């Protein structure tokens, strides 16, 4: 039996006509940090809600440590820790009172509770400010208490929903280090959602890319980036001309070429341009086999065809580019 | 066991969070007293207090029947007719009602004798003071008949012992061709006519009327006052303002994500909501006790003599306030709703129930509000001297409100 701490099978969540999560399946191995990367509204939080027993799935099921999340919710809940995307703290209580409150709800009492509360507060580096009210903390400090509260029950599986939103660089680093240490030293498995691709690249062993409720790619960050091949070039042109696209796609160093549309939606030809600095232009996305050669060939073609180049970008090979390549839009606007 | 600890944990958290809302506490504890003071001073003794008593009629004659019907027409008396003096004696002894009026057998005949007759009032020794009210009311109701009987007896006695009292010699009368009996009947009728009309005048004229008055410093407490209505009314009215606070806190927990986190923990909805509701129920109970206490000190109104019934009523009212409030709080979905619906509801319920002023209520709807049952319950204890049995129905209704509203709240509660 493979050591999966979590198996999600064909999860679906519908809100009326809106399909927030659409047939999502993945597994998280014991000791793995698994990233869910996706833009706003992709369905990351909804997926976590279903996996943590907060929301019943419309369809599909999930197994955590061999237990069905819906049927054995109480047992599952003892084993997981959740740091919600919202701060989920009481602003007028102190950091310590907040963590104690959640610890008590897990059934911790007396000395064991006090000890564990101090331990997790120390873990996130908040012991000194623990007796101040949460409302007096910076955004980063609040996030650290949010993380501490999710750790109080020694979870085997931790759900961190965008744990670095609204956080200064110092706290962000602290959170990264805490997450890495938890994983390395205590073997805690982690589901980490974010729309910052650098976070996913740095922390996650594997990343699932989710867009509009669907899981559209799943692999290690390295292999996802490698799938880009020779890189991606973005060429700004005055019009979205199909003959230009096919000519570029036929160039030897080019694997594929397509016009980007705002939001990646298929719009009428005339609208397939975006206004930039008052000037309308079409963006041709070119996947290269070799970026240098492709660049030369594209420039040569434009020169021959007397095409006006409005802009030219050679995109870094990273997860952001992977996402753009898969969806035709960026992770953040 | 774990659930109990979770409830306790949530209660402590809730109190800490709620303690920050200082303005709300002022509203809940001080505003009702201010209102009671203003209303009490403005309207004075405007209420319509009634005394709950038993009535036993052992007399077979006409006078007995007359007295019964006169007492029945007395609006300030709430009568329950009992068949025997011994039963009345027992029930009053148990504190069920504050007094029993007994019309002894042979009263109709006795009033015509020299010794006369007497209506008896059996009072609960523990409430002898309040029984003064009953005596006054009985006197007021029976005055015309008793005077009537008095006149008849007086005339008859005078004639039987010494007709010359009236200045007649038997011989004179015989000379005139009238017998003594005719004269007696004539005089009785005449005197009765004069006296009765005077009695009637006296009854119509407030100067002579036996009136029930609120206690002055010197005199013992005589009758319930408007404070008997206003104190429970405003107490419950303002206790319901806790509803807005509860709604606001739940709303913040919802948008702030606290509910999300709590329900990824092994916590049941019922435990959580019970932990949230109980502190407010306890605060409502405390508020009722404080408002009644201060009101009784400042406005000198009687808390009654049924501490157990009073305590149970406080508890049941607090739970009803808590249950209804948690239901409303759970159903509220936006900040706008949290700011408007609870206070609107509190005012409407109070207005409908008669909590604002005794004479203002919607009779058909009043009984749908917990206010009504709380007010009537407290009234039976403080104003009418009732005990546990008098408020049993009120207790049941209030507890039923608490249980059903809480159950619906648990059912409808959505943490996300
Ligand atoms: N309670 C709800 N009722 C209706 N629609 C909802 C509800 N919760 C979420 N949605 C919708 O489901 C979709 C997915 O939302 P979700 O919060 O899971 O996205 P997300 O990936 O976490 O986004 P973000 O990065 O902004 O947090 C969105 O379109 C959202 O509007
Ligand atoms: Mg989210």
């Amino acid at each position: 039996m493979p050591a999966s701490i979590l198996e999600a099978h064909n999860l679906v969540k519908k809100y009326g006509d809106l399909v927030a999560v659409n047939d999502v399946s993945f597994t998280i191995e014991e000791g793995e940090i698994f990233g869910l990367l996706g833009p706003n509204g992709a369905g990351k939080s909804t997926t976590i809600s279903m996996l943590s027993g907060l929301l019943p799935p419309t369809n599909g099921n999930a197994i955590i440590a061999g237990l069905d999340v819906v049927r054995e919710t109480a047992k599952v809940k003892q084993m997981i820790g959740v740091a919600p995307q919202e701060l989920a703290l009481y602003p007028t209580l102190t950091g310590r009172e907040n963590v104690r409150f959640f610890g008590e709800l897990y059934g911790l009492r007396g000395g064991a509770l006090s000890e564990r509360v101090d331990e997790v507060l120390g873990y996130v580096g908040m012991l000194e400010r623990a007796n101040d009210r949460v409302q007096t903390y910076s955004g980063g400090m609040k996030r650290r208490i949010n993380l501490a509260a999710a750790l109080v029950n020694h979870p085997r599986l931790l759900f961190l929903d965008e744990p670095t939103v609204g956080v200064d660089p110092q706290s962000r680093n602290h959170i990264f280090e805490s997450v890495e240490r938890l994983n390395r030293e205590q073997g805690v498995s982690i589901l980490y959602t974010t729309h910052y691709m650098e976070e996913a690249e740095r922390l996650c062993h594997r990343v699932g890319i989710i867009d509009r409720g669907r899981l559209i790619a799943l692999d290690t960050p390295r292999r996802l980036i490698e799938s880009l091949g020779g890189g991606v070039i973005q060429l700004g042109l005055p019009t979205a001309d199909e003959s230009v696209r096919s000519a570029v796609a036929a160039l030897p160093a080019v694997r594929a070429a397509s016009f980007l549309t705002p939001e990646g939606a298929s719009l009428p030809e005339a609208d397939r341009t975006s206004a930039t600095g008052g000037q309308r232009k079409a963006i041709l996305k070119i996947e290269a086999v070799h970026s240098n050669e492709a660049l030369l060939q594209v420039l040569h073609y434009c020169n021959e065809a007397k095409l006006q180049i409005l802009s030219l970008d050679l995109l870094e090979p990273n997860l952001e580019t992977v996402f753009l390549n898969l969806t035709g839009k960026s992770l953040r606007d | 066991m774990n659930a109990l600890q979770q409830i306790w944990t949530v209660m402590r958290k809730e109190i800490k969070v709620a303690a920050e809302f200082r303005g709300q506490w002022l509203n809940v504890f001080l505003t009702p007293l201010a209102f009671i003071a203003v209303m009490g001073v403005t309207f004075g003794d405007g209420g319509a207090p009634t005394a709950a008593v038993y009535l036993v009629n052992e007399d077979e004659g006409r006078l007995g029947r007359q007295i019964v019907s006169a007492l029945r027409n007395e609006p300030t008396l709430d009568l329950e007719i009992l068949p025997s003096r011994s039963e009345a004696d027992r029930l009053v002894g148990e504190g069920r009602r504050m007094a029993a009026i007994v019309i002894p057998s042979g009263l109709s005949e006795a009033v015509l004798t020299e010794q006369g007759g007497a209506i008896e009032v059996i009072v609960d020794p523990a409430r002898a003071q309040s029984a003064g009210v009953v005596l006054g009311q009985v006197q007021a109701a029976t005055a015309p008949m008793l005077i009537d009987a008095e006149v008849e007896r007086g005339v008859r006695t005078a004639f039987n012992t010494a007709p010359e009292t009236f200045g007649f010699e038997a011989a004179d009368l015989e000379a005139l061709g009238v017998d003594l009996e005719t004269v007696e009947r004539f005089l009785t009728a005449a005197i009765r006519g004069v006296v009765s009309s005077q009695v009637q005048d006296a009854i119509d004229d407030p100067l002579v009327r036996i009136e029930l008055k609120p206690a002055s410093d010197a005199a013992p407490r005589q009758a319930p006052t408007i404070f008997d209505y206003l104190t429970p009314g405003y107490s419950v009215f303002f206790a319901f303002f806790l509803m807005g606070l509860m709604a606001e806190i739940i709303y913040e927990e919802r948008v702030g994500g606290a509910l999300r986190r709590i329900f990824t923990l092994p916590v049941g909805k019922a435990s959580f909501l019970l932990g949230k509701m109980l502190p407010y129920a306890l605060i409502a109970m405390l508020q009722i006790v404080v408002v009644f206490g201060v009101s009784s000190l400042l406005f000198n109104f009687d808390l009654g003599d049924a501490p157990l019934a009073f305590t149970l009523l406080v508890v049941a009212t607090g739970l009803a306030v808590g249950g209804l409030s948690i239901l409303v709080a759970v159903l509220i979905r936006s900040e706008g709703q949290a700011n408007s619906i609870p206070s609107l509801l509190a005012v409407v319920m109070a207005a409908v129930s008669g909590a604002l002023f005794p004479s203002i209520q919607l009779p058909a709807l009043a009984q749908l509000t917990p206010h009504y049952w709380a007010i009537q319950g407290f009234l039976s204890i403080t104003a009418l001297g009732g005990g546990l049995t008098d408020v049993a129905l009120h207790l049941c209704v209030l507890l039923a409100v608490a249980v059903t509203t809480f159950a619906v709240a648990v059912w409808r509660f959505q943490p996300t």
Side-chain angles (χ1 to χ4, degrees):
Chain A
M1 204 181 133
S4 299
I5 183 82
L6 180 148
E7 296 172 26
H9 298 295
N10 310 97
L11 287 176
V12 175
K13 184 70 199 181
K14 291 185 184 164
Y15 291 110
D17 285 342
L18 179 92
V19 187
V21 173
N22 194 351
D23 199 27
V24 166
S25 302
F26 61 91
T27 61
I28 300 178
E29 306 306 323
E30 186 96 55
E32 187 177 32
I33 305 180
F34 184 93
L36 263 187
L37 184 65
N40 289 134
K44 304 182 294 292
S45 299
T46 307
T47 302
I48 287 188
S49 294
M50 287 190 283
L51 294 175
S52 55
L54 194 60
L55 267 186
T58 312
N59 237 315
N61 68 313
I63 312 288
I64 289 179
L67 301 168
D68 186 286
V69 171
V70 173
R71 280 191 302 244
E72 291 171 284
T73 314
K75 279 188 197 157
V76 167
K77 284 176 169 180
Q78 286 287 0
M79 273 187 292
I80 62 172
V82 182
Q85 181 174 357
E86 306 86 5
L87 279 166
L89 299 170
Y90 292 97
T92 54
L93 305 188
T94 68
R96 187 188 300 279
E97 284 171 330
N98 269 283
V99 177
R100 272 193 82 92
F101 171 64
F102 294 109
E104 278 183 44
L105 288 182
Y106 275 116
L108 291 173
R109 287 290 175 278
L113 174 66
S114 303
E115 227 169 84
R116 183 59 185 161
V117 168
D118 276 359
E119 204 176 350
V120 294
L121 286 171
Y123 209 89
V124 298
M126 282 295 293
L127 265 179
E128 272 152 48
R129 294 289 307 275
N131 294 332
D132 295 344
R133 289 173 177 228
V134 167
Q135 63 195 7
T136 67
Y137 293 166
S138 71
M141 294 163 121
K142 289 175 187 164
R143 282 286 159 197
R144 279 145 78 171
I145 297 290
N146 182 18
L147 176 59
L151 296 178
V152 72
N153 65 323
H154 289 283
R156 278 176 67 191
L157 173 62
L158 193 57
F159 295 94
L160 304 179
D161 196 354
E162 306 202 19
T164 57
V165 168
V167 160
D168 55 288
Q170 188 201 341
S171 280
R172 172 180 293 218
N173 265 328
H174 205 290
I175 290 170
F176 285 171
E177 276 159 30
S178 307
V179 169
E180 280 169 336
R181 262 172 60 211
L182 274 170
N183 178 252
R184 204 174 49 237
E185 294 167 9
Q186 300 179 24
V188 178
S189 311
I190 296 162
L191 174 62
Y192 190 105
T193 82
T194 180
H195 49 220
Y196 296 110
M197 54 94 198
E198 325 87 59
E199 294 186 2
E201 275 178 47
R202 167 172 172 180
L203 290 173
C204 300
H205 301 128
R206 286 190 307 144
V207 172
I209 295 183
I210 186 168
D211 183 41
R212 282 187 279 163
R214 284 190 169 275
L215 198 62
I216 53 177
L218 198 170
D219 216 324
T220 62
R222 174 191 289 274
R223 288 231 286 279
L224 285 171
I225 292 165
E226 278 171 4
S227 75
L228 290 172
V232 174
I233 297 161
Q234 279 191 3
L235 186 66
L237 297 170
T239 55
D241 191 335
E242 170 56 24
S243 64
V244 171
R245 191 203 62 80
S246 56
V248 169
L251 294 169
V254 171
R255 197 163 65 185
S258 58
F259 281 105
L260 286 187
T261 55
E263 290 303 304
S266 48
L267 298 171
E269 185 85 3
D271 293 350
R272 211 181 279 176
T273 51
S274 60
T276 314
Q279 193 185 8
R280 292 168 73 82
K281 68 173 178 181
I283 303 280
L284 185 63
K285 185 192 75 181
I286 301 161
E287 286 177 55
V289 181
H290 294 291
S291 53
N292 285 10
E293 284 172 27
L295 207 50
L296 283 170
Q297 289 170 7
V298 167
L299 287 174
H300 183 72
Y301 165 77
C302 290
N303 201 33
E304 295 281 286
K306 302 212 161 16
L307 275 176
Q308 189 196 358
I309 296 175
L310 297 177
S311 65
L312 181 65
D313 285 310
L314 177 59
L315 300 186
E316 256 183 88
N318 58 26
L319 288 178
E320 176 85 48
T321 308
V322 172
F323 185 80
L324 181 114
N325 194 36
L326 288 170
T327 65
K329 61 184 183 185
S330 66
L331 276 171
R332 279 162 289 144
D333 349 83
Chain B
M1 204 51 219
N2 195 30
L4 285 185
Q5 289 181 333
Q6 288 181 332
I7 293 168
W8 177 231
T9 300
V10 174
M11 282 177 74
R12 278 169 25 239
K13 183 277 300 173
E14 190 71 18
I15 290 169
K16 275 191 216 162
V17 172
E20 295 294 319
F21 295 78
R22 305 237 159 70
Q24 299 270 9
W25 302 120
L26 211 67
N27 207 9
V28 168
F29 281 89
L30 289 185
T31 322
L33 287 168
F35 265 87
I36 292 166
V38 170
M39 299 286 274
V41 168
T42 310
F43 296 100
D45 184 19
T50 56
V53 298
Y54 296 115
L55 177 62
V56 181
N57 181 15
E58 294 178 332
D59 181 36
E60 320 235 279
R62 187 169 54 90
L63 185 60
R65 285 196 302 279
Q66 281 179 342
I67 293 174
V68 169
S69 85
L71 289 174
R72 276 198 163 142
N73 291 332
E74 177 60 50
T76 58
L77 283 176
D78 169 14
L79 289 182
E80 184 181 330
I81 311 254
L82 292 180
S84 78
R85 172 197 297 260
S86 59
E87 193 177 347
D89 195 58
R90 182 175 59 81
L91 290 176
V92 170
E94 285 172 8
R96 301 289 189 87
R97 291 191 164 203
M98 66 199 295
I101 303 165
V102 180
I103 305 167
S105 68
L107 181 71
S108 294
E109 292 82 48
V111 289
L112 298 177
T113 68
E114 234 172 305
Q115 292 76 32
I119 295 174
E120 295 163 35
V121 177
I122 303 172
V123 296
D124 178 359
R127 289 185 286 191
Q129 260 192 10
S130 346
V133 178
V134 179
L135 277 179
Q137 283 160 328
V138 172
Q139 276 168 16
T142 54
M145 277 156 290
L146 295 184
I147 288 167
D148 220 41
E150 192 70 25
V151 168
E152 199 169 333
R153 184 185 62 160
V155 172
R156 189 174 287 187
T157 311
F159 261 91
N160 286 349
T161 50
E164 59 280 4
T165 315
F166 291 100
F168 302 120
E169 292 288 320
D172 299 342
L173 293 173
E174 264 164 48
L176 286 167
V178 260
D179 65 323
L180 208 60
E181 203 177 330
T182 313
V183 174
E184 182 192 328
R185 265 216 302 277
F186 169 77
L187 281 175
T188 307
I191 296 171
R192 189 191 276 170
V194 173
V195 174
S196 291
S197 73
Q198 279 173 357
V199 167
Q200 200 55 53
D201 285 350
I203 286 165
D204 294 339
D205 182 352
L207 279 175
V208 205
R209 183 175 168 197
I210 303 172
E211 241 186 335
L212 302 175
K213 285 253 168 80
S216 68
D217 284 344
R221 193 182 149 65
Q222 288 297 307
T225 68
I226 192 164
F227 296 113
D228 288 292
Y229 292 89
L230 296 183
T231 306
Y234 280 83
S235 198
V236 176
F237 175 24
F238 283 95
F240 267 104
F241 275 86
L242 292 168
M243 195 158 48
L245 180 57
M246 294 166 83
E248 195 174 335
I249 292 177
I250 290 200
Y251 175 75
E252 280 172 10
E253 287 179 313
R254 193 186 296 284
V255 294
L259 290 186
R260 257 173 184 279
R261 193 203 294 278
I262 288 166
F263 288 98
T264 62
L265 271 56
V267 178
K269 286 207 282 180
S271 308
F272 176 70
L273 288 184
L274 200 57
K276 280 185 82 68
M277 181 270 250
L278 284 177
Y280 298 97
L282 291 171
I283 290 162
M285 294 174 202
L286 180 67
Q287 185 255 31
I288 295 169
V289 170
V290 168
V291 171
F292 269 77
V294 173
S295 190
S296 90
L297 286 178
L298 294 186
F299 311 124
N300 200 26
F301 97 97
D302 193 343
L303 294 178
D305 301 295
L308 177 64
F310 188 91
T311 308
L312 290 177
L313 204 53
V314 169
V315 171
T317 305
L319 289 174
V321 170
L324 190 55
S325 301
I326 197 84
L327 174 59
V328 173
V330 152
L331 294 179
I332 273 171
R333 279 317 186 114
S334 74
E335 200 170 8
Q337 288 178 349
N339 288 334
S340 58
I341 291 178
S343 26
L344 190 68
L345 207 61
V347 172
V348 169
M349 283 194 302
V352 162
S353 67
L356 296 181
F357 199 71
S359 53
I360 303 172
Q361 65 164 238
L362 290 179
L365 295 178
Q367 302 195 351
L368 295 178
T369 63
H371 305 58
Y372 173 86
W373 295 97
I375 294 167
Q376 296 302 319
F378 281 115
L379 208 59
S380 344
I381 294 175
T382 64
L384 310 181
L388 201 50
T389 47
D390 300 295
V391 297
L393 176 65
H394 307 82
L395 286 173
C396 290
V397 172
L398 288 167
L399 289 175
V401 168
V403 170
T404 45
T405 49
F406 182 76
V408 175
V410 172
W411 172 46
R412 300 301 302 171
F413 178 50
Q414 286 182 332
T416 54

